[in-house]
Amino acid sequence: LLSGEPEFFALLRGLVETQNALRLLLTVDTEPTLLDKPEYSGFFARSSIMELPPLSLNEAQEMTRQYGIEPASRGLEKLYRLTAGHPYLTRLFLYEAAMREEPLETIREADIFASHLRSLRRQVDDERHPLGPALATALRGDTLTNEEYGRLYSLGLICEREGQIEPRCPLYAEF
């Protein structure tokens, strides 16, 4: 558990249980069920889970405008190809570009995504439940067990398109 995590979810659970008119929006990068621990169950039992689909190029352009960045840049097209419209990765990159006040074309993706990719790498290389072999199997197009598929999908690394399992975005394929 992260420091303060149980207290945070206890606070959310208390708010949800006592404030009928209150609506909370909690976003997580991949699979919210990874957070569903017994100490959080009161909160998640009253929650609706919505999965965000990938952003369309038009939605990514609109998000770019909202960050005050020129949406017609080649950098946005490159970002979109790399992330396949992944909402979190797109937002992360645009936020960093806006904070740096730099054009998208001048920012190195490695600088922005390094921390996120390291976090995924730690989970894939977990000594107790390594996923490296399963990820390699998926990238070769071979069949995964249901457990392997579920774990890789929950991390957001893979998806199913037209009956084929593939990396969720080109950034993850390179990873």
Side-chain angles (χ1 to χ4, degrees), residues 68-130:
I69 300 170
E70 174 55 44
S73 73
R74 282 182 276 130
L76 178 61
E77 292 172 17
K78 181 180 177 188
L79 172 65
Y80 190 78
R81 281 192 309 273
L82 185 64
T83 66
H86 188 298
Y88 171 74
L89 297 174
T90 303
R91 188 210 57 81
L92 177 64
F93 195 88
L94 294 175
Y95 172 81
E96 286 294 328
M99 292 297 99
R100 295 176 184 194
E101 298 180 353
E102 293 181 32
L104 297 179
E105 297 84 11
T106 64
I107 300 174
R108 292 184 30 202
E109 294 86 4
D111 294 341
I112 306 299
F113 299 130
S115 177
H116 174 69
L117 294 174
R118 274 193 305 273
S119 174
L120 286 174
R121 173 63 66 193
R122 280 192 300 274
Q123 294 176 71
V124 167
D125 293 341
D126 182 329
E127 290 178 11
R128 294 170 291 147
H129 307 287

Side-chain angles (χ1 to χ4, degrees), residues 2-172:
L2 298 174
S3 175
E5 192 174 317
E7 294 83 4
F8 174 71
F9 279 97
L11 172 68
L12 293 180
R13 184 177 59 242
L15 288 171
V16 168
E17 291 173 351
T18 61
Q19 306 294 319
N20 291 333
L22 179 66
R23 299 290 180 253
L24 295 174
L25 175 65
L26 176 69
T27 61
V28 295
D29 183 25
T30 54
E31 184 63 39
T33 57
L34 293 175
L35 295 174
D36 196 7
K37 298 172 184 158
E39 58 268 30
Y40 312 151
S41 61
F43 174 72
F44 284 105
R46 295 174 172 244
S47 302
S48 298
I49 296 174
M50 296 172 37
E51 185 173 337
L52 289 178
L55 299 172
S56 68
L57 182 56
N58 288 339
E59 290 170 326
Q61 289 170 331
E62 179 57 32
M63 185 184 285
T64 303
R65 275 188 211 91
Q66 292 172 356
Y67 276 99
I69 300 170
E70 174 55 44
S73 73
R74 282 182 276 130
L76 178 61
E77 292 172 17
K78 181 180 177 188
L79 172 65
Y80 190 78
R81 281 192 309 273
L82 185 64
T83 66
H86 188 298
Y88 171 74
L89 297 174
T90 303
R91 188 210 57 81
L92 177 64
F93 195 88
L94 294 175
Y95 172 81
E96 286 294 328
M99 292 297 99
R100 295 176 184 194
E101 298 180 353
E102 293 181 32
L104 297 179
E105 297 84 11
T106 64
I107 300 174
R108 292 184 30 202
E109 294 86 4
D111 294 341
I112 306 299
F113 299 130
S115 177
H116 174 69
L117 294 174
R118 274 193 305 273
S119 174
L120 286 174
R121 173 63 66 193
R122 280 192 300 274
Q123 294 176 71
V124 167
D125 293 341
D126 182 329
E127 290 178 11
R128 294 170 291 147
H129 307 287
L131 284 171
L135 185 56
T137 298
L139 293 176
R140 283 193 311 268
D142 294 338
T143 305
L144 295 170
T145 67
N146 287 340
E147 179 187 352
E148 290 169 334
Y149 176 84
R151 290 179 59 214
L152 290 170
Y153 178 84
S154 292
L155 289 174
L157 288 171
I158 61 170
C159 65
E160 192 170 340
R161 289 189 188 100
E162 300 176 9
Q164 298 294 316
I165 296 172
E166 56 187 53
R168 178 152 183 206
C169 63
L171 177 67
Y172 291 166

